[in-house]
Amino acid sequence: MARYILSFSVTLLALFNLAPGQQTPSSTAIALESTYTLPPDADVGQPVIPNIIDPEAINPQSICPGYKASNVEISSNGLTADLILAGDACNVYGNDIEALRLVVEYQAVDRLHVEIQPLYIGPENYTWFLLPEELIPRPHADDGTDIFASRSDLGFTWGNNPTFSFKVTRKSTGDVLFTTEGSQLVYEDQFIEFGSSLPENYNLYGLGEVIHGFRLGNNLTRTFFAADVGDIIDANIYGNHPIYLDTRYFEVNKDTGAMTYAPYATDKTAQYKSYTHGVFQRNAHIQEVLLRESNITWRALGGNIDLYFYEGPTQDNVTKSYQKSAIGLPAMQQYWTFGYHQCRWGYNNWIELQTVLDNFAKLEIPLETIWSDIDYMKAYRDFENDPFRFGYDEGADFISRLHQNNQHYVPIIDSAIYAPDPTNVSDAYPPFNRGVEQDAFLLNSDGSIYIGAVWPGYTVFPDWIGALFNGTGANRWWISEIAEYYNKIKLDGIWIDMSEISSFCVGSCGSSKRNLNPAHPPFSLPGEPGNEILQYPEGFELTNATEAASASAALSSMSATAAQVSSATTSYLRSTPTPGVRNVNWPPYVINNWHGDLAVHAVSPNATHHGGILEYDVHNLFGHQILNATYYALLNISPTKRPFIIGRSQFAGSGKWAAHWGGDNYSLWAFMFFSIPQALSFSLFGIPMFGVDTCGFAGNSDMELCSRWMQLSAFFPFYRNHNTVGAASQEPYVWSAVVNASKAAMRIRYALLPYIYTTFYLSHSTGSTTMRALAWEFPNEPWLANADRQFLLGDAILVTPCLVQGATAVDGVFPGVGSGEVWYDWYNQTVVTGVTAGQNVTIDAPLGHIPVYIRGGKVIPMQEPGLTTAAVRASPWSVLVALDSNRQATGGLYIDDGESLVPKTSLWVDFTVENSALKATPHGDFVETNVLGNVTILGARGPISSVKLNGKEVHASTWNLQSSGGVLKIAGLDSLTAGSAWSNEWVLSWS
């Protein structure tokens, strides 16, 4: 939690918004038995200025000589070559590497690998330049490598005039996908630069994690350095995914078929075709990617050039190939995780948690899981509950009641471990002692334990890298500690936080200060004096003028106080390369890091892992590795059950172990919008189990924002409400309007759980996406390239949320209508008419209503909504059929036990509709005992005089045709499917 960065946050405690008996939680500082506070300057580093804005910065392209290729050896599947520095070393941001090795390999029909690294690498500098496969697996060539080059649509060429460059083209179109022509390759021990020109008005996506619109645009610098930062727009935040997708639209001549690149496709009567390719740079070092008007530039502060080009030609092709070849398919989640989750920083004891549960039950709002933030800990220490507020016996009773009601409990576990005061016996902390015994913690260069500071005070940090490469005990210790904690608290999953990794001081600040523990962070917690929560959503003053005025006045006073800072001119630290030495603390090239100095609010780059690897070389992988360790810790507890983990920091491939939430966002309308492009990006990154802090984390929410947001998040895979301590409560039961809005959207979500689970299973098993951009499903409509205010859930559900304060309508498009696509309104089940291709249609969206549409040609399996996912799973089945313009439809249903890591049995049901008949064909051995209750056919044409199931007449009293809307509703099927809806194939026909 970059929870102290609520600097623009800030609001009066909104007691007027609370439900009876619901209090605004006070700061949980009561859990921190500290008398010492770290000084504010503990987390202040050297003043540095990012290269991209430094007026004294040197452009490497103006002075570096590039390389010349020699010793070129060509094979049927690629080539190798030496690259030798083509002139005097420039040593601009590091020491030039004189000799490089180029390897070009067609690894599959759709995948080309281009790798450039130093020719001479030894054990002493291996991790300077290479990313070990043990950390991030390398894609390898598929079987049959001798035929890939000739069959691939990717072409590779290179040149030596004036210096080495290479080009990747799409053979079928001649389009240049990536070219370094016209630029110099720069390769130094702390700086790499290469790049490519891009076509006019290009469409790039990915390069996460970032709070930005879905389409990245041509004026963005993406910094890859994991940081404990609130969700600051365009800043480097928690995770790193160095992959982008490039979609290009071409206008097709209807007479000749010739294609012309269309950078501004505005003619909606024209015919277009798109091609998408992907580029993955397998490098975990600190990086920066500059997107500018006509080019992309990659810069790295270490590692190598390890590029993988995916030919596509669709997003679906690229995403599936990327996951299967490079990062792994996403973890399958337990069924219950798709229910609704409630959390906040500020639930101070088991009684408050029970009160929350009771309020949900009283108002019959679905609730699957209750979460605990750091409030439950004893003085913010992992693996220990506060004995007075969260006692183990009381907790065992609480969790037992939860489980009896088919509900669940998930606590947070932070990434730093308290280092107790060695002079105070009462401050003993056994997890620390056990970790020391197993060499589990990160070191200083002199071999002493690195001691930073996080919530409990001075802390140490698990050394996953040392465990992997040097056999030390971090993983064993972590697994053991979680098992020991599970013996006391029967948790159902784990929430990993602060894993960038965060530290509240520069360097090993606690090495000689453990006797001052426990210590307060060097900043005020939210809600503490001077850091009151005084921020409200945009437009709050229009509906709550008095409260808004009070908050504004208090905020102005706080801002005036905070503004009293020195006006002295800043003198920046600029370092220069030293031959044979890397400056890891202050690299000569300064990235655009939100915190500035790399050691600020992070473990310092010179921290040392057991075996000698520096934090500088692996910083971006701490979050990835703690998710791996937690995954196996949960498997140790329940070897056959799918681990449920939500993590903050992640890297390419983390999705095979864990899910992700969007971090510390803000209770602002803007951030409700940003949740959509953020979720779509994580679909590309192979982490489909994604959601955000619904209603916002920082600041105070209000009724209107929370009403809209609770409805929007109901269509995200991970659905959780969470906010900060000191802010107004924002559980959905706080406002009656939000109760109604939430229940309306939840009824849809819970009815769709079989469809959502099936869609997610396909993400897990094939690499398809769960949340989808309109442009992916309708790739030949260029006006959708920037569409990120609507999205598809799976391939059948279109969601068009209202994202504007005070609005009662929303504009949306209905993709594909120009080529015959049919859409039906979820609520009245009638077909959408009178819409043309690309037309923005104004849709009614009064408060409490979220527009949802069903795509024609789809069959959607459903069950009855309930208060828990277990209740849904025990209810009768229904099938919703949305016919396309040809009166056809298809769909599928996946069923298993909902929790097994490797299900012993499962069931897949194929649905097909043609010639006025719905056929359900089951495959598999899973025994499912619920009956089929009803079937609804959208787009049915009358007259209809007969409905039959497997040739047997269905009684006329159980079905009816709403001829005006073309809706055929068939009920009473439970008696005809007694035993199970899916035990045998069946055909439902109408005529």
Side-chain angles (χ1 to χ4, degrees):
M1 295 165 261
R3 293 172 170 139
Y4 79 101
I5 303 185
L6 309 178
S7 46
F8 81 90
S9 89
V10 295
T11 16
L12 205 62
L13 301 178
L15 294 171
F16 60 91
N17 275 334
L18 300 182
Q22 184 71 17
Q23 298 181 354
T24 300
S26 61
S27 168
T28 52
I30 58 173
L32 188 62
E33 303 160 359
S34 59
T35 57
Y36 173 72
T37 296
L38 273 73
D41 63 359
D43 203 21
V44 176
Q46 293 293 329
V48 293
I49 181 171
N51 181 277
I52 61 169
I53 61 171
D54 185 356
E56 299 181 21
I58 299 171
N59 179 5
Q61 295 299 314
S62 66
I63 65 170
C64 292
Y67 289 80
K68 287 280 192 178
S70 61
N71 299 326
V72 179
E73 296 184 5
I74 299 175
S75 70
S76 60
N77 205 43
L79 61 86
T80 61
D82 294 336
L83 303 179
I84 308 300
L85 204 61
D88 293 337
C90 61
N91 297 329
V92 59
Y93 296 117
N95 300 294
D96 280 25
I97 307 299
E98 184 176 348
L100 306 173
R101 183 66 168 169
L102 166 69
V103 176
V104 179
E105 179 188 25
Y106 285 87
Q107 294 189 333
V109 171
D110 70 335
R111 185 173 75 252
L112 172 66
H113 179 213
V114 178
E115 183 177 48
I116 301 174
Q117 63 190 43
L119 185 59
Y120 306 107
I121 297 177
E124 74 285 353
N125 65 359
Y126 179 83
T127 57
W128 295 17
F129 300 114
L130 299 182
L131 177 56
E133 285 195 71
E134 297 92 335
L135 281 170
I136 303 296
R138 289 167 56 93
H140 291 281
D142 292 353
D143 295 334
T145 55
D146 58 331
I147 60 173
F148 292 153
S150 61
R151 295 168 53 204
S152 178
D153 198 26
L154 296 174
F156 179 89
T157 56
W158 66 277
N160 243 354
N161 186 19
T163 57
F164 171 77
S165 64
F166 71 88
K167 181 191 299 182
V168 178
T169 58
R170 188 180 297 279
K171 296 177 186 176
S172 60
T173 63
D175 191 26
V176 176
L177 307 185
F178 195 96
T179 177
T180 65
E181 291 179 342
S183 64
Q184 305 287 15
L185 169 63
V186 182
Y187 205 125
E188 301 172 341
D189 58 4
Q190 280 195 274
F191 184 76
I192 300 169
E193 179 174 286
F194 65 97
S196 172
S197 59
L198 289 171
E200 183 181 5
N201 198 34
Y202 55 83
N203 304 297
L204 259 60
Y205 311 89
L207 296 177
E209 179 178 10
V210 63
I211 305 300
H212 191 83
F214 182 49
R215 180 174 177 262
L216 296 176
N218 60 12
N219 186 26
L220 176 67
T221 298
R222 279 292 301 114
T223 301
F224 291 88
F225 182 77
D228 176 11
V229 178
D231 285 4
I232 304 298
I233 296 170
D234 291 351
N236 57 302
I237 51 175
Y238 319 107
N240 294 284
H241 298 269
I243 179 173
Y244 70 81
L245 272 65
D246 182 339
T247 297
R248 303 180 184 184
Y249 295 94
F250 297 84
E251 185 171 348
V252 181
N253 186 297
K254 296 178 181 179
D255 297 324
T256 66
M259 295 191 301
T260 305
Y261 178 67
Y264 304 98
T266 57
D267 184 358
K268 295 184 174 65
T269 66
Q271 180 181 342
Y272 299 96
K273 183 173 180 58
S274 75
Y275 291 86
T276 295
H277 67 275
V279 181
F280 172 46
Q281 159 69 334
R282 184 183 166 274
N283 186 328
H285 271 80
I286 305 164
Q287 295 188 87
E288 205 152 73
V289 178
L290 284 62
L291 299 179
R292 298 298 184 259
E293 185 174 1
S294 60
N295 63 290
I296 180 173
T297 300
W298 286 82
R299 292 172 175 169
L301 274 59
N304 66 347
I305 299 171
D306 196 8
L307 295 169
Y308 297 83
F309 295 90
Y310 294 89
E311 75 172 33
T314 67
Q315 167 274 326
D316 187 60
N317 296 142
V318 172
T319 304
K320 287 178 176 177
S321 183
Y322 170 58
Q323 292 177 81
K324 292 176 180 178
S325 68
I327 64 170
L329 292 164
M332 187 61 186
Q333 300 295 334
Q334 295 185 59
Y335 200 99
W336 64 264
T337 64
F338 295 95
Y340 174 73
H341 305 254
Q342 181 61 49
C343 181
R344 81 162 296 163
W345 185 14
Y347 291 147
N348 280 317
N349 50 54
W350 293 119
I351 295 173
E352 286 194 17
L353 289 181
Q354 186 61 55
T355 301
V356 173
L357 289 168
D358 293 344
N359 285 340
F360 273 87
K362 179 172 62 179
L363 294 171
E364 296 186 325
I365 305 171
L367 176 61
E368 189 72 21
T369 307
I370 192 77
W371 295 53
S372 282
D373 208 314
I374 58 176
D375 318 275
Y376 79 90
M377 298 176 180
K378 177 184 177 181
Y380 297 156
R381 306 173 188 186
D382 282 351
F383 311 124
E384 286 194 352
N385 277 30
D386 184 289
F388 304 106
R389 299 178 299 109
F390 286 91
Y392 292 124
D393 290 342
E394 188 181 355
D397 292 340
F398 173 83
I399 294 172
S400 177
R401 291 193 302 272
L402 265 183
H403 290 166
Q404 289 172 14
N405 198 40
N406 294 310
Q407 293 173 305
H408 304 85
Y409 176 70
V410 176
I412 195 171
I413 295 180
D414 277 336
S415 301
I417 302 300
Y418 181 65
D421 176 1
T423 67
N424 183 356
V425 175
S426 66
D427 197 40
Y429 180 52
F432 170 81
N433 298 332
R434 291 190 289 263
V436 171
E437 291 170 0
Q438 298 189 56
D439 291 329
F441 303 128
L442 190 62
L443 304 174
N444 290 301
S445 58
D446 63 2
S448 62
I449 295 178
Y450 182 102
I451 302 177
V454 191
W455 299 114
Y458 293 113
T459 57
V460 296
F461 305 90
D463 180 11
W464 316 114
I465 300 298
L468 182 62
F469 294 108
N470 208 49
T472 48
N475 289 66
R476 295 189 299 271
W477 166 81
W478 187 256
I479 289 171
S480 176
E481 294 300 329
I482 288 178
E484 178 71 18
Y485 184 67
Y486 181 79
N487 289 334
K488 304 169 187 174
I489 295 294
K490 302 301 182 186
L491 51 82
D492 297 292
I494 291 176
W495 170 20
I496 296 294
D497 199 12
M498 311 299 290
S499 51
E500 291 70 32
I501 183 173
S502 176
S503 178
F504 298 162
C505 65
V506 172
S508 187
C509 62
S511 291
S512 60
K513 298 180 180 179
R514 283 176 54 196
N515 61 302
L516 297 175
N517 256 343
H520 190 286
F523 47 82
S524 298
L525 301 184
E528 290 183 339
N531 194 20
E532 291 83 4
I533 308 300
L534 301 172
Q535 178 197 17
Y536 285 95
E538 310 94 316
F540 181 77
E541 72 281 0
L542 302 177
T543 54
N544 299 270
T546 301
E547 293 81 7
S550 298
S552 178
L555 179 57
S556 297
S557 176
M558 286 175 56
S559 300
T561 301
Q564 296 173 9
V565 296
S566 171
S567 60
T569 302
T570 301
S571 177
Y572 296 108
L573 172 68
R574 294 180 175 89
S575 69
T576 56
T578 301
V581 177
R582 294 190 305 166
N583 188 338
V584 297
N585 286 333
W586 301 286
Y589 181 88
V590 180
I591 61 168
N592 189 34
N593 178 29
W594 175 258
H595 289 305
D597 187 328
L598 299 179
V600 171
H601 218 66
V603 167
S604 292
N606 65 345
T608 306
H609 298 267
H610 288 84
I613 295 174
L614 295 183
E615 175 69 6
Y616 176 91
D617 295 314
V618 292
H619 168 83
N620 285 333
L621 295 175
F622 185 98
H624 184 72
Q625 288 303 105
I626 196 174
L627 295 176
N628 169 273
T630 307
Y631 181 85
Y632 287 102
L634 288 175
L635 281 183
N636 175 64
I637 293 169
S638 301
T640 64
K641 187 177 291 186
R642 302 166 199 162
F644 175 56
I645 308 164
I646 292 288
R648 193 169 74 176
S649 186
Q650 5 71 49
F651 191 76
S654 296
K656 59 180 172 285
W657 303 313
H660 176 54
W661 98 102
D664 295 348
N665 61 2
Y666 298 89
S667 295
L668 297 170
W669 288 83
F671 283 86
M672 179 169 61
F673 153 70
F674 279 125
S675 71
I676 299 175
Q678 197 177 8
L680 294 175
S681 295
F682 275 91
S683 292
L684 299 178
F685 304 151
I687 307 182
M689 191 64 168
F690 176 87
V692 299
D693 284 351
T694 300
C695 301
F697 173 76
N700 293 312
S701 193
D702 66 7
M703 178 274 293
E704 184 182 3
L705 176 64
C706 202
S707 179
R708 294 296 193 189
W709 210 332
M710 284 293 296
Q711 291 205 312
L712 169 61
S713 288
F715 297 91
F716 280 47
F718 178 55
Y719 185 16
R720 186 183 74 162
N721 182 316
H722 175 228
N723 71 322
T724 188
V725 67
S729 294
Q730 61 183 40
E731 294 85 359
Y733 54 70
V734 170
W735 306 272
S736 59
V738 181
V739 171
N740 295 331
S742 301
K743 291 172 72 171
M746 287 178 173
R747 278 193 294 271
I748 302 174
R749 178 188 181 87
Y750 277 64
L752 285 173
L753 280 176
Y755 167 79
I756 295 171
Y757 191 71
T758 298
T759 301
F760 196 92
Y761 167 73
L762 293 174
S763 294
H764 160 72
S765 58
T766 72
S768 62
T769 52
T770 296
M771 280 184 67
R772 304 181 183 183
L774 273 58
W776 302 344
E777 284 292 302
F778 300 90
N780 297 325
E781 299 191 2
W783 43 87
L784 300 177
N786 202 31
D788 54 9
R789 293 175 178 269
Q790 298 174 266
F791 61 92
L792 288 154
L793 179 59
D795 64 356
I797 301 296
L798 173 65
V799 183
T800 306
C802 181
L803 304 171
V804 177
Q805 191 275 330
T808 57
V810 59
D811 287 343
V813 297
F814 291 93
V817 294
S819 53
E821 198 75 37
V822 177
W823 294 96
Y824 299 88
D825 187 294
W826 172 273
Y827 301 95
N828 61 32
Q829 301 186 325
T830 59
V831 68
V832 174
T833 60
V835 179
T836 60
Q839 178 186 352
N840 251 322
V841 180
T842 299
I843 302 165
D844 286 338
L847 192 64
H849 175 78
I850 182 169
V852 179
Y853 298 89
I854 309 156
R855 186 178 179 182
K858 304 301 175 182
V859 179
I860 301 175
M862 301 192 301
Q863 287 179 277
E864 295 299 313
L867 297 181
T868 64
T869 61
V872 175
R873 283 188 65 118
S875 68
W877 291 92
S878 62
V879 178
L880 178 62
V881 176
L883 298 177
D884 64 14
S885 57
N886 295 317
R887 314 333 254 179
Q888 297 177 339
T890 59
L893 168 64
Y894 175 75
I895 310 173
D896 61 15
D897 65 10
E899 65 176 25
S900 292
L901 185 67
V902 181
K904 294 180 180 178
T905 59
S906 62
L907 183 69
W908 179 269
V909 183
D910 279 312
F911 298 108
T912 57
V913 179
E914 56 184 359
N915 299 322
S916 298
L918 164 64
K919 182 197 293 187
T921 306
H923 311 274
D925 300 324
F926 183 82
V927 177
E928 213 291 328
T929 58
N930 294 310
V931 298
L932 176 65
N934 60 79
V935 173
T936 301
I937 315 292
L938 308 185
R941 290 179 178 174
I944 295 175
S945 58
S946 173
V947 175
K948 296 179 180 180
L949 181 64
N950 291 335
K952 296 176 62 175
E953 198 75 31
V954 176
H955 197 279
S957 64
T958 63
W959 62 267
N960 71 86
L961 173 67
Q962 300 172 2
S963 56
S964 60
V967 181
L968 174 60
K969 296 188 174 183
I970 307 165
L973 298 174
D974 48 348
S975 61
L976 301 178
T977 58
S980 173
W982 319 118
S983 57
N984 298 289
E985 179 177 281
W986 52 259
V987 177
L988 182 70
S989 60
W990 56 96
S991 60

